[in-house]
Amino acid sequence: MSMSRRAFLAAVPAVTLAGCAGPPPLRVAVVWSGEELRRFLRVVDAYVAERRRPVSVYSAGDNISALLRGPAADVVPDVAVIPRLGLLFDPVVRPRIRPLTGGHAQPAFWRRLATAPESGETLGAWFKIANKSLVWHRTGERHAPPSLAAWQPRPGTLAIGAADGWVLSDWFENVLLAYAPEVYDGLFPPAERGNQAWWGVAKVTEALTLLATIWREAFTYDQGRRALTLQFHDSVLDVFSYRTADVVAAPDFALPVIERYGGKDVARHFPFPAYPGGSPPLVVGGDVAVAMRGGGQDAVDFVDWLTRPRAGGERDALTAWVDEGGFLTPYRQPAHPLLRGPAEALNTAGNRHYDLSDRLIGRLEGGDGRGLWRVLTELFADVTAGTAAPAAAAAAAREKIVAAAGEGPA
């Protein structure tokens, strides 16, 4: 999908313009809205005050992929903070990125993810990272299943915001990684995109069947229909505010929502369950800052400033965001006790695997109403608000994925 300059200015309005008269503002595109966007603007205000360089921040939302692929040079921002790693290697976007040179060293695991394999160039620096393998429940209650294979939640006990496709893809990724980690790794070959054969293996269908069985057990027809209208925040509220459900699988950034609407010290979490004989899965994600070629050295300087490690005693808008929860970084341990373990795992665990759907490009690329997200939404609807048996629905989902994987770039 392309985006004209007129559409860009209409769909991605400037939400803040900081600085004074002088050079044109550095244009920074992000995906956030609401509280996340407000917190980021405070960080940008600190940069403007320190460097005396005006900055204009745009909230692009799900349009950020179209924005970065835009046909006109003046549509592409100077800096982008993107949530899907695959965009760094998109054949249109990749030539528009200005590789980073010098600056601070990122932890090896994270640096490799943002490195171009053919050239060894570092394409971006991690600003925000996430642990996507947590299951949250209320304090004093415990609902951890003995294993993934034994997870049979009673109807009404599990909350899922199925209106957000990324929520369902997180479920699939955790189940697949727990069930068949060797297959998970093969679905995104580092040097080529020819992964249709991997998607077609039996273990993908088996993992989809296991996932569909859990969803079928957890929802009645009416509950499934309601879940399809719920967004991520709503599912968190179902557990911690309305108390109409007992557990919700959600990343670490659920914590601010929990504490804002449910109160302090009301939540605990456990790792996403392991499959018998295996280890608990650890799916990680994050937002990576990239300098686009049109932004010149100013864009690189902004990325370096934004993602630099803060000293242990340093206090600024970014460290305050980390300390208050809802934001994890490769460089700083959070103050909140519920987040210390998840944060340490992101930076030290040997079994980390990056979010699969966020690495895909082409017809399987994630996005509401398209790609893998759409297939999983249809699978959820088929087994909760429909009458399909889990095995049949899983087989149909696998066929849709294989067909999309074999059709090349969109």
Side-chain angles (χ1 to χ4, degrees), residues 137-141 156-157 159 226 234-247 258 261-267:
H137 61 94
R138 293 186 294 275
T139 302
E141 302 179 20
T157 61
R226 178 177 178 274
D234 301 319
S235 65
V236 176
L237 295 183
D238 271 359
V239 176
F240 294 100
S241 182
Y242 311 135
R243 300 198 169 207
T244 54
D246 296 329
V247 297
I258 293 170
Y261 296 100
K264 302 290 185 179
D265 199 33
V266 299

Side-chain angles (χ1 to χ4, degrees), residues 38-57:
R38 286 189 289 272
R39 299 304 295 261
F40 181 72
L41 296 182
R42 294 177 198 170
V43 176
V44 171
D45 286 343
Y47 172 83
V48 173
E50 178 183 319
R51 300 296 179 91
R52 310 302 300 171
R53 176 69 161 90
V55 176
S56 181
V57 178

